[in-house]
Amino acid sequence: MENKQCHITSIGGQAVIEGVMMRGPKEIATAVRTPDGEIVVDKKPIASILQKWKFLKLPILRGVISFIESLVVGTKALMYSAEFFDIEEEEDKKKKEAMSEEERQALEKKEGKMKNVAIYGSVVFALIFGVALFMLLPGFLIDLLRKVIPTDFTGGNIVATLVEGIVRISIFLIYVALVSQMKDIRRVFEYHGAEHKTIFCYESGEELTVENARNFSRLHPRCGTSFLLIVMVVSIILFSFITWENMWMRLGIRLLLLPIVAGISYEIIKLAGRSRSKFMRVVSLPGMWLQKITTREPDDSQLEVAIASLKAVLTENREDDKW
């Protein structure tokens, strides 16, 4: 009987429109099922600043860089997948057909620049939206309630921070629950489940087939959903030490501390992905519960797409895939 070699990898992914993006140790691949049923795979080498500057790989700091780069890579993959479902106006098609080769190249160059602006603009907007909804709004709400939240005794600030954290997490859970009701998002969540099942299959040493991947869990400890929840818990702990009474000063300091929160959360989620200790399982449990909302059971066609994406980034030497 053949022995199966289980291993832990740094491979991660993201669900996109009718597809899955996988990020391996050296390459990024986005597999999309087009409207005609074909699976198209786009593969690119990883161009990370972490590869150029070794000091950025220091704990905490690497988490901040990885978080920002993940937002950019994820947005690019999402926009790439959307291109297969864009319906171009007939008039625009005729204009392009009437252009000379030089004019088409100039137009494509211009569209490429606009696309880059859209990508980085989307990342900035996502960061601003996230900070405003999940950090500033709870802060304002709690500031309005500070008259009934005693802070003039020992531990009073911790109580206020804890209540604010509960409000923040509640807003996040309500937001996820509402978004999950959208038909298109439910489809993306199915591909999210396919991504997790496929990675689990690979980590367990099983052959990457639909039949094998189907048997694995759609809940994975090394998931972006879990990361966001850990960010909120870490922020509750860290922000409890901030005692400024002025609301704007307090919010300003918290904004400055956000990179540290992201860096610490990255280290925790990374440890959760490779540790099998009972303690880390407990730490991962809330995030795993939340994934019951952000992932759904995929069908076989979706697993095929996830497998195609994962196979595209696998290296011949499995040692390259380890933490």
Side-chain angles (χ1 to χ4, degrees):
M1 184 176 179
E2 182 182 356
N3 292 325
K4 297 170 185 174
Q5 183 181 1
C6 299
H7 57 286
I8 299 172
T9 78
S10 60
I11 294 175
Q14 174 185 311
V16 296
I17 300 173
E18 291 300 321
V20 173
M21 180 272 289
M22 291 285 187
R23 179 167 179 159
K26 297 179 181 178
E27 295 173 309
I28 298 171
T30 304
V32 178
R33 189 174 296 277
T34 62
D36 60 5
E38 179 186 1
I39 298 177
V40 177
V41 180
D42 177 66
K43 185 165 68 170
K44 291 183 174 67
I46 292 177
S48 173
I49 193 174
L50 293 172
Q51 298 172 337
K52 298 178 181 179
W53 305 96
K54 301 297 183 182
F55 77 93
L56 293 178
K57 292 185 177 181
L58 292 172
I60 309 299
L61 187 57
R62 62 186 175 186
V64 178
I65 302 299
S66 296
F67 174 66
I68 296 174
E69 288 187 341
S70 294
L71 286 176
V72 174
V73 169
T75 303
K76 286 182 177 180
L78 192 60
M79 295 187 70
Y80 169 77
S81 67
E83 291 176 359
F84 291 95
F85 304 93
D86 284 342
I87 301 176
E88 192 174 29
E89 295 292 336
E90 191 65 31
E91 186 178 343
D92 292 334
K93 288 183 179 180
K94 290 180 179 180
K95 286 182 180 179
K96 287 185 178 180
E97 290 174 356
M99 289 179 179
S100 64
E101 184 63 28
E102 292 77 11
E103 289 174 329
R104 275 197 295 269
Q105 289 179 355
L107 179 61
E108 289 175 358
K109 186 176 181 181
K110 181 180 179 180
E111 289 177 343
K113 290 181 178 179
M114 293 176 63
K115 184 178 178 180
N116 286 332
V117 172
I119 288 172
Y120 290 102
S122 298
V123 171
V124 172
F125 174 79
L127 288 172
I128 294 174
F129 177 78
V131 169
L133 183 60
F134 303 123
M135 180 177 168
L136 298 184
L137 178 58
F140 281 121
L141 293 177
I142 293 303
D143 197 68
L144 294 175
L145 297 175
R146 289 184 75 85
K147 292 182 179 180
V148 296
I149 300 176
T151 58
D152 56 350
F153 63 93
T154 302
N157 188 65
I158 295 178
V159 172
T161 304
L162 180 60
V163 173
E164 181 180 344
I166 293 173
V167 172
R168 184 182 298 116
I169 292 175
S170 298
I171 292 175
F172 176 66
L173 293 177
I174 292 171
Y175 173 80
V176 171
L178 291 175
V179 167
S180 68
Q181 299 305 309
M182 299 172 62
K183 183 179 178 181
D184 292 340
I185 297 298
R186 287 201 300 269
R187 186 77 178 165
V188 172
F189 285 176
E190 289 172 3
Y191 276 102
H192 191 189
E195 172 218 330
H196 286 182
K197 282 175 173 282
T198 303
I199 292 177
F200 257 138
C201 181
Y202 173 66
E203 290 177 335
S204 299
E206 296 279 358
E207 182 183 358
L208 281 174
T209 65
V210 171
E211 291 73 19
N212 289 338
R214 193 190 298 138
N215 298 323
F216 287 89
S217 173
R218 73 177 199 268
L219 313 179
H220 198 289
R222 195 163 35 83
C223 172
T225 304
S226 299
F227 172 79
L228 292 176
L229 199 57
I230 290 174
V231 164
M232 294 186 182
V233 174
V234 171
S235 67
I236 292 174
I237 298 172
L238 195 60
F239 293 167
S240 65
F241 296 98
I242 300 175
T243 58
W244 292 91
E245 289 300 322
N246 183 281
M247 181 187 69
W248 295 108
M249 182 68 73
R250 190 169 64 252
L251 291 177
I253 295 175
R254 290 182 179 186
L255 284 174
L256 293 175
L257 288 176
L258 275 182
I260 298 177
V261 171
I264 294 174
S265 302
Y266 173 85
E267 299 301 328
I268 294 174
I269 199 74
K270 184 176 180 180
L271 181 61
R274 64 182 178 182
S275 174
R276 296 295 179 262
S277 69
K278 291 182 178 180
F279 175 74
M280 290 311 302
R281 288 181 183 178
V282 172
V283 171
S284 301
L285 202 55
M288 302 285 273
W289 287 338
L290 186 57
Q291 287 177 50
K292 291 184 178 182
I293 301 177
T294 62
T295 65
R296 291 178 181 268
E297 284 296 328
D299 58 32
D300 289 353
S301 66
Q302 292 167 327
L303 287 171
E304 287 177 353
V305 175
I307 289 171
S309 181
L310 180 54
K311 283 184 175 180
V313 299
L314 294 182
T315 59
E316 294 182 2
N317 183 3
R318 285 178 179 259
E319 290 297 320
D320 291 336
D321 298 332
K322 294 182 178 179
W323 287 102

